[in-house]
Amino acid sequence: MGLNLAQKIIRDHLAEGELRPGREIALRIDQTLTHDAMGTMTLLQFEAMDIPRVKTRLSLCYVDHSMMQAGFQNADDHMFLQTMAARYGLLFSRPGNGICHQVHLERFSEPGETLLGSDSHTPTCGAVGMLAIGAGGLDVAVAMAGGPYYLKMPSVVQVILKGKLLPWVASKDLILDLLRRLGVKGGLGRIFEFAGEGVETLTVPQRATVCNMGTELGATTSLFPSDQMVHSFLRAQGREGAWKPLSADPDAGYDESIELDLSSLEPLMACPSSPDEVVPVREVEGIAVDQVCVGSCTNSSYIDLMTVAAILKGKRVHPAVSFTVTPGSRQVLQMISEAGALTDLIAAGARILECSCGPCNGTGQAPATGAVSVRSFNRNFPGRSGTTPDQVYLCSPQVAAAIAVTGRVTDPRRLGDAPRTELPELFAADDGMILRPPENSEQVEIRRGPNIKPLPRSTAPAESLRAPVLLKTGDNVSTDDIIPAGAKLGPLRSNVPASAEYVFERIDSSFPTRAKEAGAGIVVGGWNYGQGSSREHAALVPAYLGVKAVLAKSFARIHQSNLINVCILPLTFADEADYDRIEQGDLLEMVGARDRVAAGSDLVIVNVTKGIEIPVRHALTPRQVEVYRAGGMLNYFRGKAPA
Ligand code: F3S
């Protein structure tokens, strides 16, 4: 039996292990990316490894998240990142150049290569046949230092696309349909590989939307073959030399298969407050809308904005609606300007924002109290917009534009003929805002403002675990719930002690105080604990507050790795019904926890308060056990770094 595309790229980068689902493998990493929200910590971790220069073929640091300079903090971080990039051999994408995933797709994506990014939407580059995976910042730092990336070999799901999208239906509707069918846990431990006759009808930006939001399925990554569509895209970017054909073998095997007829899709919408709460737009028509935002790494491409501008041309944004447009990159902004589409958007009443993440992570444009916000983004977890509670709907740019005009949820098919927009023959390729490291990089002075605090160091775990349950949560707790993003906390990303004051702020604002008083603690969670952003602060900062273990029904992939990397033990219930036998405040004890984890023995937590025993499990690989026993990845990797 032949290999599918994911298996081929993994085989070509395999440093350890074998291609059997569930077994740990190690991948050689060609490229890495990080950004300002994770990058300060990632680069501090890299610095702590004492490696003089990155060892990857290409590593980039983008500034796209924390753009507001309401104080010195973000500016400090940007300057630190710029000088660290120059010192250690990374390319630096300056503030204003665009969102990391959009710029990376345009300027650096390469079929057949591996990309590890400290951002959960790194799979966006799967649109060109690249194996692009999101990870915690420490894993990215290790890759920059030349170490492999470890993960459990995912199963590969073939998504067979048939037919062609109808007018007014977007590739966003394709991924929303998958979310409707599979849910936010439907991709855990899986790679989604797209195949079938429908693939060739989708442009690279359309594919990028699908790969980007495959993250919301919980997938390890998503990818498309590198075909003529990819060739045209890379040629138009002036990067034809990066292209090579790549596809699955004709007799490739897959672990699962799904069929999806593109021509059966209709405009869809995810309702508050989860990306899988998907319904046809026609079922929620008429809801009054206060805010519409187009942008984010999901839908801010040239084609997306040209389409929105074509819908708005000659019309006015509804007076009840605040309508924002965020171009994904400077390339997009320049091209919609040259095409006259920017003028059309301005004339219609759009508020044009800087090329950055912006409203997507709550950095500006937080909706008014009680307001309905419709966004072309990828996530609508509660409070992510910056307003609590919020009512955020997710949809395609086409649907968003229709709503901006009517002021109500509207099926865009009511607007008559769909606009036709084409990919350009040539994109505006100007890398002038990407700084390359100098030859004499060892002479670069690192500028470390007062906002850059020292990296907290973890120590090896104690032999036994005895601590109270500091918090018991429900299902699908996101990293946004653990440590929020947004304008308020963005400036504190390089300051763990200050960030610690906001841990679980949305669930229980007394958590930091209680954690400090207890000195050590345990968090109990439901299903899919730690979904969403790859934000390692959601592990790092609780570790700083003394969290020693998280006991949950299940974990999201990246968060589980992040917990182990900072020496928090992730445990699952052997019997999920035992979740109900623990309450917040209970004292839990696991005698000999450290050695029992290492020995693979049966694990039992004693609920001292209730006088009962609760069998638990861990899913740490032998390597992860060593990471845990060493007190986290940084301690483990130091001394093991390749020469
Ligand atoms: Fe930025 Fe939102 Fe994407 S925060 S990287 S635009 S998911």
Side-chain angles (χ1 to χ4, degrees), residues 281-575:
V281 173
R282 62 184 159 76
E283 285 185 11
V284 281
E285 273 197 302
I287 295 173
V289 173
D290 305 277
Q291 182 190 53
V292 177
C293 301
V294 171
S296 89
C297 56
T298 320
N299 279 119
S300 59
S301 69
Y302 168 78
I303 283 286
D304 287 333
L305 299 201
M306 289 297 288
T307 303
V308 169
I311 295 168
L312 284 157
K313 188 176 173 69
K315 302 186 179 76
R316 297 290 298 181
V317 171
H318 191 276
V321 172
S322 170
F323 177 52
T324 69
V325 175
T326 313
S329 69
R330 194 161 137 272
Q331 179 184 86
V332 172
L333 178 57
Q334 181 181 333
M335 290 182 66
I336 63 167
S337 171
E338 289 169 358
L342 181 60
T343 306
D344 295 334
L345 289 169
I346 293 168
R351 301 169 64 179
I352 309 297
L353 306 182
E354 182 172 23
C355 303
S356 67
C357 300
C360 178
N361 70 345
T363 303
Q365 311 305 322
T369 306
V372 170
S373 179
V374 172
R375 301 173 167 213
S376 73
F377 304 170
N378 47 36
R379 287 189 175 141
N380 59 347
F381 299 138
R384 182 175 168 87
S385 66
T387 298
T388 311
D390 56 9
Q391 299 178 69
V392 175
Y393 293 76
L394 306 173
C395 63
S396 69
Q398 288 88 326
V399 173
I403 294 171
V405 172
T406 63
R408 294 187 172 274
V409 173
T410 304
D411 189 322
R413 293 173 292 187
R414 292 184 185 282
L415 300 189
D417 291 340
R420 289 179 60 85
T421 46
E422 304 286 341
L423 275 179
E425 288 290 312
L426 215 52
F427 286 97
D430 171 7
D431 294 333
M433 284 182 71
I434 295 173
L435 306 182
R436 293 181 181 271
E439 288 296 319
N440 56 346
S441 57
E442 65 285 349
Q443 291 171 15
V444 173
E445 182 196 346
I446 295 165
R447 291 182 58 179
R448 220 178 286 259
N451 197 45
I452 310 294
K453 297 292 182 216
L455 192 64
R457 294 295 180 89
S458 47
T459 52
E463 189 185 339
S464 296
L465 188 63
R466 182 181 169 93
V469 176
L470 293 171
L471 187 72
K472 183 177 177 183
T473 75
D475 294 340
N476 295 318
V477 161
S478 72
T479 48
D480 280 322
D481 293 323
I482 302 170
I483 180 103
K488 193 165 80 174
L489 266 85
L492 303 180
R493 287 286 180 251
S494 43
N495 187 338
V496 170
S499 297
E501 300 304 318
Y502 299 91
V503 174
F504 289 116
E505 184 188 38
R506 291 181 191 151
I507 297 176
D508 183 344
S509 60
S510 69
F511 183 89
T513 307
R514 292 189 294 105
K516 282 183 216 165
E517 283 169 6
I522 295 170
V523 172
V524 174
W527 291 106
N528 203 21
Y529 183 87
Q531 69 162 338
S533 165
S534 63
R535 191 171 309 143
E536 72 177 337
H537 292 73
L540 196 61
V541 187
Y544 174 81
L545 284 174
V547 173
K548 303 296 180 194
V550 178
L551 174 58
K553 291 181 183 174
S554 71
F555 290 91
R557 174 186 65 89
I558 300 176
H559 188 63
Q560 176 159 306
S561 295
N562 286 344
L563 290 173
I564 299 163
N565 283 350
V566 298
C567 200
I568 294 178
L569 184 61
L571 297 166
T572 53
F573 292 97
D575 178 355

Side-chain angles (χ1 to χ4, degrees), residues 98-150:
I99 306 172
C100 56
H101 307 306
Q102 177 67 24
V103 177
H104 212 89
L105 180 72
E106 292 168 356
R107 306 306 305 149
F108 301 104
S109 59
E110 282 213 34
E113 291 218 328
T114 50
L115 167 68
L116 194 72
S118 66
D119 187 282
S120 59
H121 292 101
T122 301
T124 309
C125 284
V128 301
M130 186 172 204
L131 194 79
I133 301 176
L138 193 43
D139 286 322
V140 172
V142 167
M144 282 161 45
Y149 175 59
Y150 289 87

